[in-house]
């Protein structure tokens, strides 16, 4: 009797242990699934894709205007000074008479854009400063729809306030926005206070006029217009760069940004200067 009881107890213990292992395995799977859902939720989330041999955040084709309902699009349109393009949705940095043009497509909330900017941004600027090409920025805000929030459009509107002061202020603020970019899932740039904290890192940028424009959302309708222009461009992911209309391969097969030297070589080949 005692032996049978011990055997039953042992079996019960084994069954309990199996149930516990199954519960732990299920919990791990649920955690893994939660992480996967943060990366991809059907067609409504941003996904990492191969693009021209590189890596980009994909544009959701159903993203509409790519902004949240709170973007202030009902306010009057105020276009910053120093815009370019026929509709004022392009920002041109560099010498206007440069023989070549580098079109840059980015979203301030895009972590892959930050990855490339960190690695190659100084070289991209250096070649513009030397007159090799001029840069035409085409900014996006589709990650607000893909991930929820308003960080992309808020940062873009603030960049408009910087542009209204000067192209140089825009470029310096652009660089600081990427250098201090919060996780795209936190929507950190949806906070005006966070935006102003980043602006404080650019000497001379945080004027009274700049602060008021950011707090009032003066350039939100313009940012919406810029985002709409990106959505109509046919570009399928950020970052994308085109030299004289030809897409450049910005990442290697492992998903790492090409080196500064490799980038320079690409530009030399594209411009026929090597």
């Amino acid at each position: 009797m005692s032996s049978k009881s011990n055997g039953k107890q042992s079996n019960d213990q084994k069954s309990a242990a199996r149930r516990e292992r199954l519960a732990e395995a299920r919990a791990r799977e649920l955690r893994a699934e939660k992480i996967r859902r943060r990366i991809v939720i059907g067609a409504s989330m941003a996904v990492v894709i191969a693009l021209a041999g590189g890596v980009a955040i994909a544009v959701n084709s159903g993203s509409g205007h790519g902004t949240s309902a709170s973007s202030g699009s009902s306010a009057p349109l105020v276009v910053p000074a120093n815009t370019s393009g026929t509709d004022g949705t392009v920002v041109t940095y560099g010498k206007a008479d440069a023989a070549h043009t580098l079109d840059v497509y980015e979203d301030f909330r895009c972590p892959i854009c930050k990855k490339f900017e960190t690695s190659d941004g100084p070289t991209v600027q250096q070649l513009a400063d030397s007159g090799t090409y001029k840069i035409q920025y085409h900014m996006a805000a589709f990650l607000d729809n893909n991930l929820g929030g308003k960080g992309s459009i808020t940062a873009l509107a603030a960049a408009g306030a910087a542009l209204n002061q000067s192209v140089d202020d825009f470029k310096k603020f652009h660089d600081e926005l990427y250098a201090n970019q919060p996780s795209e899932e936190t929507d950190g740039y949806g906070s005006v206070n966070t935006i102003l904290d980043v602006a404080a890192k650019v000497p001379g940028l945080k004027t009274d006029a700049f602060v008021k424009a950011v707090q009032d959302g003066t350039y939100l309708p313009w940012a919406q217009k810029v985002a709409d222009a990106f959505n109509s461009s046919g570009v399928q992911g950020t970052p994308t760069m085109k030299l004289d209309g030809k897409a450049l391969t910005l990442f290697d097969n492992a998903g790492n940004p090409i080196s500064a030297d490799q980038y320079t070589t690409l530009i030399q080949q594209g411009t026929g200067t090597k």
Side-chain angles (χ1 to χ4, degrees), residues 100 132 243-244 246 248 261-274:
H100 302 278
T132 300
L243 180 63
D244 297 334
K246 183 178 180 180
L248 301 176
D261 287 343
Q262 289 172 321
Y263 175 81
T264 300
T265 297
L266 271 183
I267 299 302
Q268 290 173 340
Q269 292 172 343
T271 58
T273 57
K274 183 176 181 180

Side-chain angles (χ1 to χ4, degrees), residues 233-248:
S233 69
V235 171
Q236 294 301 307
T238 58
T240 291
M241 291 188 180
K242 297 181 180 182
L243 180 63
D244 297 334
K246 183 178 180 180
L248 301 176

Side-chain angles (χ1 to χ4, degrees), residues 150-216:
K150 56 182 181 178
S152 294
I153 201 73
T154 304
L156 179 51
L163 179 62
N164 191 62
Q165 295 186 174
S166 72
V167 174
D168 284 343
D169 278 349
F170 167 86
K171 181 63 172 65
K172 292 174 183 176
F173 188 45
H174 164 281
D175 295 350
E176 288 294 343
L177 283 169
Y178 281 117
N180 296 276
Q181 183 193 76
S183 167
E184 76 274 21
E185 292 181 0
T186 67
D187 194 33
Y189 283 159
S191 166
V192 168
N193 289 334
T194 300
I195 293 288
L196 293 175
D197 287 344
V198 175
K201 298 177 182 295
V202 180
L205 174 60
K206 203 174 173 182
T207 63
D208 290 345
F210 174 86
V211 172
K212 179 174 172 53
V214 172
Q215 291 177 336
D216 293 351

Side-chain angles (χ1 to χ4, degrees), residues 6-39:
N6 288 341
K8 184 177 185 301
Q9 183 179 11
S10 177
N11 289 335
D12 288 345
Q13 288 172 341
K14 289 180 180 179
S15 296
R18 282 197 297 271
R19 288 194 297 270
E20 184 176 351
R21 287 196 298 271
L22 288 172
E24 290 176 352
R26 179 56 179 161
R28 286 195 298 271
E29 177 59 26
L30 288 174
R31 287 195 295 270
E33 180 64 20
K34 185 176 181 181
I35 292 172
R36 286 195 293 270
R37 285 178 180 176
R38 288 178 181 175
I39 299 172

